[in-house]
Amino acid sequence: MGTYSVPELIRKQKPKGTMVKNINGYFYVYEYKSIKGNDGKRKTQMGNIIGSIKPGIGFVPNSSYLCDSEISTLEFGEYAVTIANSQHTLDLLRKCFNPEDALAIYAVSMIHFIQGFTYMKDIQSYYDMSYLSIKYPSLKLGYESLSSLYDSLGRRQGSVIKMEEKLVAACSRQVAIDGHVIGCVSGENDLAAKGYKFSKIGEPQINLLMAYDINTGIPLLSRIYEGASTDKVSVKDLTKQVELKNMLFVVDRGFHCAENLKLFSSDGNSYIIPLGKNITACKKAVISLEMTGRFMYQRGRKASVVEYKDEMIEGNRVITCRDLNESAAEQTNYLRHMGKGDKSYTQNGFDKLKDFMGLIVLQTSIMDKPPQEIYELYKKRWAIETFYNYFKNKADYGSLYQQDYYKTQGLAFIMLVSSLILREFEDAVKAAKGKSAQDCLLDARMVKADKRRGVWAVCNCRKKQVDLFELLNTKLAVEIEQYT
């Protein structure tokens, strides 16, 4: 036997379609293929090394060969229950985009919903490892494809606006608008700038601004603005994206300015906004805190008595409300700090602040509704704060590295669609009493799809998962959807 020859016993252990080389007594396995040369004759071309054959052990693949081999186990459960309970979102996308783009947007948004914020370069990997890859097998979600998709969503917004118009047309016409700060560490993004939260987050920011139906919890509009701009400036652009008529805008004090109040009360629109303590109307409202009426406010199982006074100040309706439960809680907290000896909490300070604890001053253009209804409408605005907690704490939209203006706007739309999936899924999981959407996703995650003898089958189904899938109207079966 020659120095470089390979024993027959070793050759028998190599995988099919490979060749073995003896290098210094070690047997390395390479890919190879037969190709036709310029002379018309066939010859063998050696490819990459994929492993080695060790006497007494056999073929040992290297890590790259394992990564390149076919995936035979997929993440099934969390994707299956989400697909089954987000079909309205997919239908809406298909009404506004061509079939291929609609499905790509849907799949990418679902990955964002399930995995949290995901960079474009990682989307393909999540797709390959999930049920999406066999449910929708023809999607191309590599970086270049997604880069083009995000760019089109930001640059060619006809279909985006069409979908937002449909959302607005179907809404309850009671809308909250609010902003969310996202750190952006890319120095090349035109939108990234030092904003008002720079000292807190320690990096430039971009500002996400969204409109949200306070009754259904459905997001309606989404756009990202330059980090140094304020919400009360950006809102003028957001409300120009689609026609907004006969709407009630419930907004926070950061949107207060004469121009916005005019905007919020034109075209049949109306508004409710809290007044900051430096606003003249607020100063006049709190000169006297003698309340003239009271009502009960109930949220869920909690109820409280709210005192109020209703008056016209500088031609505007101003309603001053004091929640007695909130007032008592704030006073208790202040006195607790005094009892601990905290220097910032003094008896003099308590005497000055106690009448303002639990107090809110609301200005509204609505003249025909009682104070209780105005107050209850404003309290619904807090739903958007909970909604933004999803982006901050669960979806991890804390800091981005996004360089391109148009792709950033494309991401804003992906965030909108992932929010639609969230809203639809949350409605569905109400059937699983006592469980949140996150609880259901975690339970469903245990269910995998395995490929055995060329056939995909669902496995790891305990009774807990079987019951959950039944509650969420989800089949425990692998289905493949083709599209053209």
Side-chain angles (χ1 to χ4, degrees):
M1 183 175 69
T3 306
Y4 297 103
S5 62
V6 177
E8 182 180 355
L9 180 63
I10 296 295
R11 291 199 302 270
K12 286 182 178 179
Q13 297 179 70
K14 71 180 182 67
K16 185 178 179 181
T18 64
M19 63 184 297
V20 183
K21 291 187 68 176
N22 180 354
I23 303 176
N24 297 327
Y26 295 95
F27 302 104
Y28 295 99
V29 181
Y30 293 81
E31 295 175 327
Y32 88 94
K33 58 184 176 180
S34 177
I35 62 171
K36 185 181 287 188
N38 295 330
D39 57 2
K41 296 181 180 181
R42 302 201 71 83
K43 60 181 181 179
T44 298
Q45 183 182 70
M46 188 168 63
N48 297 324
I49 184 172
I50 62 171
S52 62
I53 294 176
K54 297 184 178 180
I57 298 177
F59 174 63
V60 179
N62 58 29
S63 59
S64 63
Y65 178 72
L66 284 172
C67 290
D68 290 340
S69 63
E70 182 184 21
I71 296 174
S72 58
T73 300
L74 294 172
E75 301 297 332
F76 176 82
E78 55 195 336
Y79 287 91
V81 295
T82 303
I83 290 170
N85 295 285
S86 59
Q87 286 301 297
H88 177 73
T89 300
L90 177 56
D91 291 342
L92 185 58
L93 283 166
R94 282 173 165 161
K95 290 176 182 177
C96 302
F97 294 85
N98 69 60
E100 186 173 358
D101 285 348
L103 204 53
I105 294 166
Y106 177 64
V108 172
S109 300
M110 186 180 301
I111 290 170
H112 277 253
F113 165 62
I114 292 173
Q115 303 297 336
F117 170 72
T118 308
Y119 285 105
M120 284 188 285
K121 65 182 179 62
D122 299 323
I123 293 289
Q124 182 74 52
S125 295
Y126 282 113
Y127 168 76
D128 289 341
M129 294 185 293
S130 76
Y131 176 40
L132 291 172
S133 64
I134 49 177
K135 175 71 172 176
Y136 309 116
S138 301
L139 288 178
K140 296 179 180 178
L141 301 180
Y143 180 82
E144 293 301 325
S145 296
L146 287 181
S147 182
S148 176
L149 176 65
Y150 279 44
D151 182 82
S152 293
L153 291 173
R155 193 183 296 269
R156 300 175 177 86
Q157 290 213 310
S159 295
V160 171
I161 298 299
K162 182 179 179 180
M163 184 159 162
E164 290 178 334
E165 287 174 339
K166 287 183 178 295
L167 291 169
V168 168
C171 79
S172 71
R173 316 206 80 74
Q174 294 181 353
V175 177
I177 300 177
D178 207 354
H180 175 61
V181 169
I182 302 174
C184 185
V185 296
S186 172
E188 298 181 20
N189 193 322
D190 293 338
L191 296 170
K194 293 181 180 180
Y196 68 97
K197 283 195 174 180
F198 180 77
S199 59
K200 182 176 181 180
I201 64 177
E203 61 190 22
Q205 67 185 54
I206 54 178
N207 297 333
L208 172 70
L209 199 60
M210 298 187 81
Y212 175 94
D213 188 323
I214 62 174
N215 294 306
T216 64
I218 294 175
L220 307 173
L221 307 171
S222 176
R223 196 162 180 83
I224 289 175
Y225 293 94
E226 194 258 339
S229 66
T230 61
D231 290 343
K232 68 180 180 182
V233 173
S234 302
V235 72
K236 301 179 184 69
D237 178 76
L238 184 76
T239 54
K240 289 178 181 178
Q241 286 188 219
V242 301
E243 187 176 69
L244 297 172
K245 290 185 176 181
N246 303 313
M247 297 283 179
L248 167 62
F249 293 107
V250 184
V251 295
D252 203 0
R253 57 174 55 90
F255 292 92
H256 188 280
C257 70
E259 190 175 354
N260 284 345
L261 296 184
K262 183 179 179 180
L263 174 68
F264 295 149
S265 54
S266 60
D267 294 324
N269 297 319
S270 54
Y271 68 85
I272 302 172
I273 187 170
L275 298 178
K277 61 183 181 181
N278 293 324
I279 302 297
T280 302
C282 181
K283 292 178 180 179
K284 291 183 177 181
V286 300
I287 289 174
S288 170
L289 290 177
E290 183 178 344
M291 303 301 183
T292 58
R294 59 178 53 196
F295 55 82
M296 184 192 76
Y297 170 67
Q298 185 159 359
R299 182 180 180 183
R301 296 181 179 180
K302 295 182 179 180
S304 180
V305 173
V306 177
E307 299 177 325
Y308 72 89
K309 64 172 182 172
D310 188 355
E311 56 193 329
M312 296 296 294
I313 298 177
E314 298 180 342
N316 296 304
R317 186 184 184 191
V318 178
I319 303 171
T320 306
C321 300
R322 182 193 288 118
D323 184 314
L324 297 185
N325 280 8
E326 287 187 16
S327 178
E330 289 181 29
Q331 290 185 49
T332 299
N333 182 61
Y334 195 103
L335 293 172
R336 184 184 295 116
H337 280 280
M338 279 180 59
K340 291 180 179 180
D342 291 350
K343 294 181 179 180
S344 300
Y345 295 81
T346 65
Q347 183 63 50
N348 186 46
F350 178 78
D351 292 339
K352 288 182 178 179
L353 295 174
K354 66 176 181 177
D355 291 337
F356 297 95
M357 293 179 180
L359 195 76
I360 188 168
V361 180
L362 300 174
Q363 181 173 312
T364 181
S365 61
I366 302 172
M367 298 296 175
D368 59 348
K369 294 185 184 299
Q372 180 175 353
E373 190 170 346
I374 299 296
Y375 184 81
E376 289 172 346
L377 284 168
Y378 174 73
K379 282 293 185 177
K380 288 183 179 181
R381 195 201 72 84
W382 285 103
I384 200 169
E385 299 291 346
T386 304
F387 177 68
Y388 276 133
N389 282 338
Y390 158 73
F391 283 120
K392 181 179 179 180
N393 299 320
K394 293 183 180 179
D396 197 25
Y397 285 86
S399 183
L400 306 182
Y401 187 83
Q402 181 61 266
Q403 296 184 357
D404 184 84
Y405 173 88
Y406 296 104
K407 294 183 182 68
T408 303
Q409 297 304 343
L411 175 62
F413 184 70
I414 294 295
M415 293 171 74
L416 175 70
V417 178
S418 69
S419 304
L420 291 172
I421 293 173
L422 167 69
R423 181 67 269 167
E424 196 172 347
F425 189 75
E426 285 182 335
D427 285 342
V429 302
K430 290 176 183 177
K433 295 181 179 178
K435 289 189 174 183
S436 67
Q438 192 65 22
D439 293 334
C440 292
L441 289 177
L442 286 172
D443 287 345
R445 186 173 296 174
M446 297 298 295
V447 181
K448 311 296 181 183
D450 280 355
K451 194 174 187 179
R452 297 291 182 263
R453 295 183 294 279
V455 178
W456 286 102
V458 178
C459 64
N460 201 34
C461 302
R462 297 160 56 193
K463 185 179 184 303
K464 180 180 181 181
Q465 279 78 37
V466 172
D467 291 345
L468 177 64
F469 273 58
E470 185 176 345
L471 279 173
L472 297 180
N473 298 310
T474 306
K475 294 179 181 179
L476 276 165
V478 175
E479 298 177 333
I480 299 175
E481 178 179 318
Q482 299 289 348
Y483 70 95
T484 57

